[in-house]
Amino acid sequence: MNLPFWPDSMRLCFLTALVGVALTAICQSKVAAQSADNPGVILMPKQIYEQIPTRTNLSPSTAASVPSAAIPGTATLNGVPVPASDRTAEPETHLAPPMSAAYSMAPGIDQNWGLTDSVVLPQQVDLRDHLPTPGKQAQNDCVAWAVAYSTYSCQISQERRRKPTFAGDHFSPEYVYDQISSNGEGLTVQRAIDFLKLNGCASRANLDQTNRQATPQAAVEANTFRLLENTRARNLDEIKLYLHEGYPVILVVRMETEFRSDENDGSPYLWSSDSSSEVNHHAVTAVGYDDQKRSLRLMNSWGTQWKDQGFCWASYDNFDSIDVSQWCAEAHVLRIKEHAPYEAWMVKVDSAAPVNPFAPPPPPIRRHFLLKNDRKVYENGQVISPSSWKVDDLVCNNKNLFLLARDQTVYQLEDTGVGASWSHLSRAPLAGKKVCMMAAADSQPLHALTEDQNLYQFQAASATWSLVSLSPNASKPIDLRTVNQKLRVITNKGTVYQRNTNGQWEERTRLAP
């Protein structure tokens, strides 16, 4: 293009604008391609979709009342069977408890109702503090973006009690899509769900962003985060309730022209049944709501130039019903994080009992603790945590029970004979630090992961903490949990370490046979 009379600065501005228009057109053509012959979502048959459980026809977990011998694959402590209570488990012993009708919520939000109590929702819920920056899909993988990048990242961030910042916090849509899509076609949500229940999801730390190839360690990381359960939301009220509990809701919506447009006029999106004849669908994620706006906040996978930095508001009127004839055809909820009530089982032998070589050994002492929806700790139906405390987590080994208080400090239960008392364990070098995650199992000591990505072990004999070094490289621990009664740590680089029986931390590079 010849611009003989224009100054160089004007030529540069003009050419920059021209390139911008061209790039916008290319991006819009990719979106349009998804909405034409290659839709991002294939709808499930209605009869199959309606078989997915809802929150009303799922009963609460009955693990506490079911004899352990009746539960296949039950874990053991000191050879004594106890109900499985690991946050995650490997395939050979995995036992996912059924969803209860009252779930755990994002840390800092209290949940104070049971199954039959009325629920008073706040006027606003916003899960963006637990979400990465909206990304941009490159093919028909919107389902994978909704389940992995949005839903997984959000729930694991809640468990880690901080905003997802590392590549190891951002769960990979490529890991899901590239393994279940053979020729670049769209997916049903159920196909992704089936994959995640069996294999779990890896983070982008274990993915080469240049060639989309997963590292050999990706399967080990993914196995740590297997999908526990899924339900469907039947209406707007249930969507809002799930959001209040910290669960993003995956929505399958119509690819209407105005919705595809990057432009945002500030008003919530409102679909009209006669505004478009297009029937292809796209997966987005509801991540909040606002009753004053009468709208759900949606997170998309079309980049930050779409609408409001990759988000948009969608009017409540779009959700008068969830049906294939309406704008929203399906609404799915995935449960990755554990929900209240949390259980902890302690099984130990009474060392104070007299030893009789001619008699059988004394029976083990078995104690069951429960962290309920009211954020209090119970034993035998009695509250044992101080009445003014809010408790976010509890774990135990075969000697002690530990809890994580709302202020992210750690306490240990002390049995005094006249009642329960608690010792404050967040002393130096943990003094002033916030504990994000903690874990203990069987005969393994308590470990705590702090907000500054340091891992500490509690030395019970001396009542002191020591810093744990995992490896000589510069990776930082960002996740701590138990898997099959073994302590497991994941770093910001997606590396998985597991504590062995001699107390050493070893890198896991493959799944157990």
Side-chain angles (χ1 to χ4, degrees):
M1 179 179 296
N2 187 17
L3 304 171
F5 304 110
W6 286 25
D8 290 344
S9 59
M10 292 184 65
R11 291 184 187 185
L12 180 60
C13 291
F14 177 79
L15 293 175
T16 300
L18 192 63
V19 170
V21 171
L23 290 176
T24 299
I26 292 172
C27 292
Q28 289 179 343
S29 68
K30 288 185 177 182
V31 173
Q34 180 186 324
S35 66
D37 297 329
N38 294 307
V41 183
I42 300 173
L43 294 182
M44 297 174 59
K46 183 176 181 180
Q47 65 274 22
I48 301 298
Y49 174 70
E50 291 180 347
Q51 290 177 8
I52 298 175
T54 67
R55 64 186 300 132
T56 58
N57 56 24
L58 281 171
S59 60
S61 175
T62 55
S65 60
V66 177
S68 58
I71 305 177
T74 296
T76 61
L77 293 176
N78 296 332
V80 180
V82 298
S85 59
D86 280 348
R87 300 301 158 96
T88 54
E90 302 226 11
E92 60 268 21
T93 59
H94 180 68
L95 179 65
M99 273 184 142
S100 68
Y103 308 117
S104 65
M105 300 154 86
I109 306 175
D110 289 319
Q111 171 184 333
N112 295 303
W113 64 83
L115 301 181
T116 59
D117 297 332
S118 61
V119 179
V120 180
L121 295 177
Q123 288 195 337
Q124 296 178 336
V125 165
D126 189 349
L127 297 180
R128 286 180 298 171
D129 282 346
H130 301 288
L131 290 165
T133 301
K136 190 169 188 177
Q137 65 184 85
Q139 48 191 330
N140 296 318
D141 53 354
C142 59
V143 169
W145 278 84
V147 300
Y149 192 75
S150 299
T151 301
Y152 257 82
S153 298
C154 182
Q155 292 190 40
I156 299 302
S157 168
Q158 292 172 42
E159 288 192 320
R160 292 174 178 174
R161 290 174 176 80
R162 58 175 181 78
K163 186 174 179 63
T165 53
F166 301 107
D169 295 319
H170 301 165
F171 283 79
S172 171
E174 299 89 350
Y175 182 80
V176 176
Y177 185 76
D178 290 353
Q179 296 194 67
I180 59 179
S181 175
S182 57
N183 55 7
E185 81 280 8
L187 304 173
T188 64
V189 177
Q190 188 62 49
R191 190 173 179 187
I193 287 171
D194 292 340
F195 173 84
L196 294 168
K197 284 183 176 180
L198 183 63
N199 302 283
C201 188
S203 73
R204 285 189 148 182
N206 269 310
L207 189 83
D208 187 324
Q209 294 299 316
T210 303
N211 58 20
R212 295 172 63 98
Q213 293 298 311
T215 67
Q217 292 80 17
V220 181
E221 182 192 23
N223 178 261
T224 308
F225 302 107
R226 292 166 60 228
L227 176 62
L228 298 178
E229 194 55 83
N230 70 290
T231 59
R232 61 182 172 92
R234 297 175 302 168
N235 49 48
L236 176 63
D237 288 340
E238 288 191 354
I239 292 174
K240 291 171 62 179
L241 186 53
Y242 279 117
L243 292 171
H244 180 42
E245 295 162 349
Y247 293 88
V249 181
I250 299 165
L251 306 176
V252 176
V253 301
R254 287 179 178 246
M255 289 281 291
E256 196 269 330
T257 303
E258 183 182 347
F259 185 77
R260 294 203 310 270
S261 171
D262 287 346
E263 295 182 5
N264 179 27
D265 62 6
S267 60
Y269 171 76
L270 178 61
W271 176 69
S272 174
S273 59
D274 59 0
S275 63
S276 172
S277 60
E278 295 181 69
V279 293
N280 287 322
H281 290 82
H282 175 62
V284 295
T285 313
V287 296
Y289 69 81
D290 188 322
D291 284 342
Q292 290 187 340
K293 294 180 183 292
R294 296 194 69 255
S295 300
L296 296 180
R297 189 190 295 273
L298 307 183
M299 181 178 181
N300 205 347
S301 52
W302 289 343
T304 54
Q305 86 289 339
W306 182 78
K307 305 295 187 189
D308 181 14
Q309 299 296 309
F311 298 90
C312 84
W313 290 105
S315 170
Y316 285 168
D317 293 335
N318 295 321
F319 304 94
D320 288 339
S321 64
I322 297 174
D323 185 81
V324 68
S325 64
Q326 302 300 309
W327 184 66
C328 182
E330 299 173 7
H332 298 268
V333 181
L334 277 56
R335 181 169 69 83
I336 301 107
K337 64 175 184 172
E338 195 59 89
H339 64 68
Y342 292 157
E343 289 184 295
W345 291 84
M346 184 189 300
V347 180
K348 61 181 180 180
V349 176
D350 184 5
S351 58
V355 178
N356 184 347
F358 302 104
I365 301 172
R366 181 171 173 177
R367 301 176 68 179
H368 175 234
F369 305 97
L370 202 62
L371 172 56
K372 290 191 176 182
N373 302 6
D374 58 7
R375 297 298 182 182
K376 299 182 186 301
V377 180
Y378 291 75
E379 183 180 17
N380 299 323
Q382 301 295 317
V383 177
I384 61 173
S385 57
S387 58
S388 61
W389 288 12
K390 294 293 184 183
V391 180
D392 274 350
D393 199 4
L394 83 164
V395 298
C396 71
N397 52 26
N398 58 1
K399 294 183 179 179
N400 297 106
L401 176 73
F402 309 93
L403 66 78
L404 183 63
R406 176 55 50 86
D407 63 356
Q408 294 183 249
T409 56
V410 181
Y411 293 83
Q412 175 182 305
L413 175 65
E414 303 287 352
D415 292 314
T416 63
V418 295
S421 65
W422 296 86
S423 297
H424 186 270
L425 299 187
S426 290
R427 54 181 73 102
L430 263 64
K433 295 179 180 286
K434 290 186 176 181
V435 174
C436 294
M437 306 184 79
M438 62 179 190
D442 198 357
S443 59
Q444 301 187 59
L446 174 69
H447 284 68
L449 177 62
T450 58
E451 196 174 44
D452 56 359
Q453 285 81 57
N454 282 311
L455 180 66
Y456 294 90
Q457 175 181 321
F458 184 67
Q459 310 286 349
S462 59
T464 59
W465 292 93
S466 61
L467 184 66
V468 176
S469 178
L470 295 174
S471 68
N473 62 32
S475 60
K476 299 176 179 293
I478 61 173
D479 194 280
L480 168 67
R481 60 188 68 220
T482 59
V483 177
N484 284 345
Q485 290 297 313
K486 295 181 176 63
L487 302 188
R488 183 174 291 189
V489 167
I490 299 177
T491 74
N492 61 322
K493 296 182 179 180
T495 312
V496 178
Y497 291 90
Q498 187 162 290
R499 191 175 188 272
N500 60 26
T501 53
N502 62 11
Q504 300 299 310
W505 288 88
E506 297 178 343
E507 181 180 352
R508 296 201 62 182
T509 58
R510 63 186 182 89
L511 293 175

